[in-house]
Amino acid sequence: MESTGSSGRLWELQFERSSRRGGAFAALADSAPSSAELQVPGSLAAAVVKWPVELAQDDSWRMESVLSKYENQITIFTDYLEEFPDTDELVWILGKQHLLKTEKSKLLSDISARLWFTYRRKFSPIGGTGPSSDAGWGCMLRCGQMMLAQALICRHLGRDWNWEKQKEQPKEYQRILQCFLDRKDCCYSIHQMAQMGVGEGKSIGEWFGPNTVAQVLKKLALFDEWNSLAVYVSMDNTVVIEDIKKMCCILPLSADTAGESPPGSLNALNQSKGTSACWPAWKPLLLIVPLRLGINQINPVYVDAFKECFKMPQSLGALGGKPNNAYYFIGFLGDELIFLDPHTTQTFVDTEENGTVDDQTFHCLQSPQRMNILNLDPSVALEILKENLRMFELVQKHPSHWPPFVPPAKPEVTTTGAEFIDSTEQLEEFDLEEDFEILSI
């Protein structure tokens, strides 16, 4: 603390550095199959963000009052964002290319159309007695939400759909957005993700790594009948086509039972499209492939292959980061990665009386942040690779030395007695190393 007079003080927010990081890359497939450590610019490396905080005479203060009064100043990198350079290079964003020199406005519009989930405050306490803000611990969960939201946008609206401020949006868009509101009855809310994480060994209020987020999304998707996604998280650097088919293929209904399908089911949807009930349906696949591309830093031989992932039409980007610093990578320019940053704290937004959501705070209208790809943490996951560089195995049959594959079913959800973290100081008690271990399917 640095004194500013008898009536107040300055609060200093330092940049944290850690060698413990992780990441994940994902893609969406609608048809049958045929981490970074942010390097702060030199001008910002020694910077400390400060703003006045009014304190009581006994020098006690509450974080809630800080967030409430100085909410708009929490985006710590806003004043240091660099404009895109004047170059003829192509920019790739989630499978789409933009010529920067002539299509800059189109590029920025494409980026701002992505749903942007950040820290929130003043939502109902998680579990009834838990935290009412995820500031300081929920960044990887927010990145997972962004990745999944992009999958749902592609599923219902298509990759070419674009968002415009103050413009009426399709009903599917509003329904997607409501899946992620910070309420316990929303299927991919911070409440549902945090409580499902208890079953993965994470206390509510503890920082999640990308592995935990992947497993949590896989389980929550089982309760989401509207979107009906099959979430496959690869194990031991291996993607098994046979296992994916078991997850995604829905057996056809008999002629006697075809008309009994629930209105929102895939079989009912196929019937409405004229698809014969005698043919199997295919659930859209969300594929997450965790990999490690080096030991202490990314191996340069993987750079081109990693960039190829963002050119894939089905690309949903990559998750990467370290404790309190997770990012959602959506594309690249040259050797710089473009990402959305969840480290802004905003007030909880709920549905309005007409059933819609004011979405102005769910889209980032600022210039996106960038980082050199060589500064990416090696714990990241890839989906598509250059032919001459194999970083994971794609096999047809389930390996015989693995346990039998059982398609996931709805788990028993138990959160009673879950431990809650009362302060960010307790995070130091946990082992935050989140390398990509073998994942359970």
Side-chain angles (χ1 to χ4, degrees):
M1 290 288 188
E2 178 181 326
S3 176
T4 61
S6 58
S7 61
R9 295 182 184 273
L10 285 178
W11 181 34
E12 299 185 355
L13 177 62
Q14 301 278 3
F15 296 105
E16 298 187 18
R17 299 183 181 273
S18 172
S19 61
R20 298 171 176 176
R21 302 167 290 271
F25 193 92
L28 179 72
D30 279 309
S31 58
S34 28
S35 288
E37 179 176 7
L38 180 62
Q39 297 297 308
V40 181
S43 60
L44 185 58
V48 175
V49 180
K50 302 180 179 181
W51 57 84
V53 177
E54 294 180 358
L55 301 173
Q57 290 184 353
D58 61 357
D59 282 350
S60 63
W61 55 279
R62 298 171 60 242
M63 180 62 73
E64 186 69 25
S65 65
V66 176
L67 297 177
S68 176
K69 188 167 185 179
Y70 299 98
E71 177 181 345
N72 296 329
Q73 301 181 43
I74 296 177
T75 307
I76 61 177
F77 292 109
T78 300
D79 295 334
Y80 303 94
L81 299 181
E82 298 180 7
E83 292 293 330
F84 281 111
D86 186 12
T87 176
D88 292 327
E89 288 189 85
L90 287 173
V91 179
W92 285 90
I93 301 293
L94 300 176
K96 294 186 69 174
Q97 63 179 6
H98 302 274
L99 185 59
L100 184 57
K101 199 159 192 176
T102 59
E103 300 178 330
K104 184 176 180 180
S105 60
K106 185 178 178 181
L107 165 65
L108 294 176
S109 177
D110 189 21
I111 294 173
S112 66
R114 303 314 108 213
L115 281 172
W116 179 49
F117 297 117
T118 70
Y119 291 149
R120 294 277 174 172
R121 62 185 182 87
K122 291 189 175 181
F123 48 70
S124 62
I126 298 176
T129 58
S132 58
S133 172
D134 63 314
W137 60 272
C139 53
M140 186 63 79
L141 279 72
R142 297 301 185 179
C143 290
Q145 287 180 327
M146 287 188 270
M147 178 200 69
L148 182 57
Q150 179 60 23
L152 301 186
I153 290 289
C154 293
R155 165 106 165 87
H156 296 285
L157 301 175
R159 176 62 182 89
D160 293 331
W161 171 84
N162 209 355
W163 174 84
E164 294 182 30
K165 189 176 182 180
Q166 304 293 347
K167 181 180 178 181
E168 184 177 356
Q169 303 299 334
K171 62 180 182 179
E172 292 86 357
Y173 165 82
Q174 280 286 330
R175 189 169 180 180
I176 291 170
L177 186 54
Q178 291 178 20
C179 289
F180 299 92
L181 295 182
D182 299 319
R183 294 175 8 190
K184 63 180 181 180
D185 59 342
C186 296
C187 57
Y188 299 115
S189 66
I190 195 76
H191 298 68
Q192 293 288 353
M193 295 183 72
Q195 291 185 292
M196 188 65 77
V198 173
E200 299 296 320
K202 295 291 185 179
S203 300
I204 296 176
E206 182 180 352
W207 191 85
F208 281 33
N211 278 354
T212 305
V213 169
Q215 297 297 335
V216 163
L217 292 178
K218 182 175 75 171
K219 291 181 178 179
L220 290 178
L222 298 171
F223 298 89
D224 180 9
E225 295 183 0
W226 175 54
N227 294 297
S228 191
L229 286 180
V231 180
Y232 180 90
V233 182
S234 70
M235 184 175 78
D236 201 16
N237 295 350
T238 304
V239 175
V240 183
I241 299 299
E242 181 182 39
D243 295 346
I244 289 176
K245 288 181 177 180
K246 289 181 180 179
M247 288 184 64
C248 296
C249 188
I250 301 176
L251 295 177
L253 296 174
S254 66
D256 295 333
T257 59
E260 301 176 5
S261 301
S265 68
L266 276 182
N267 278 307
L269 181 62
N270 288 334
Q271 292 175 50
S272 68
K273 292 182 177 180
T275 303
S276 172
C278 297
W279 293 98
W282 181 263
K283 296 177 68 173
L285 170 67
L286 173 56
L287 175 63
I288 304 175
V289 186
L291 289 175
R292 191 169 186 89
L293 305 181
I295 300 177
N296 295 319
Q297 61 184 22
I298 186 171
N299 191 323
V301 301
Y302 296 134
V303 167
D304 289 339
F306 184 78
K307 289 160 61 174
E308 287 294 316
C309 297
F310 295 101
K311 298 181 181 181
M312 185 178 64
Q314 299 89 348
S315 172
L316 298 175
L319 305 182
K322 60 181 181 179
N324 303 318
N325 282 287
Y327 308 104
Y328 175 43
F329 297 96
I330 59 174
F332 72 93
L333 165 63
D335 286 331
E336 292 183 321
L337 295 175
I338 299 170
F339 62 93
L340 296 179
D341 189 348
H343 301 93
T344 294
T345 304
Q346 304 183 91
T347 303
F348 161 66
V349 173
D350 203 350
T351 53
E352 299 180 347
E353 291 184 1
N354 62 2
T356 63
V357 178
D358 184 351
D359 64 351
Q360 301 306 301
T361 62
F362 292 99
H363 293 271
C364 184
L365 302 180
Q366 302 167 343
S367 297
Q369 297 181 40
R370 308 192 306 278
M371 63 172 290
N372 190 288
I373 195 169
L374 290 178
N375 295 329
L376 179 70
D377 182 79
S379 291
V380 73
L382 298 176
E383 223 288 324
I384 189 171
L385 311 171
K386 299 189 76 172
E387 294 180 0
N388 62 346
L389 189 61
R390 298 177 64 87
M391 288 183 286
F392 70 89
E393 291 293 325
L394 184 65
V395 300
Q396 289 291 333
K397 297 294 184 179
H398 186 85
S400 59
H401 61 281
W402 283 13
F405 175 78
V406 179
K410 289 183 180 179
E412 294 293 332
V413 181
T414 303
T415 57
T416 304
E419 294 181 28
F420 296 99
I421 294 181
D422 297 321
S423 69
T424 55
E425 285 147 7
Q426 287 184 260
L427 292 173
E428 299 175 0
E429 300 175 8
F430 293 93
D431 181 9
L432 296 175
E433 185 76 38
E434 193 69 24
D435 288 340
F436 282 104
E437 69 276 10
I438 294 178
L439 304 179
S440 59
I441 298 182

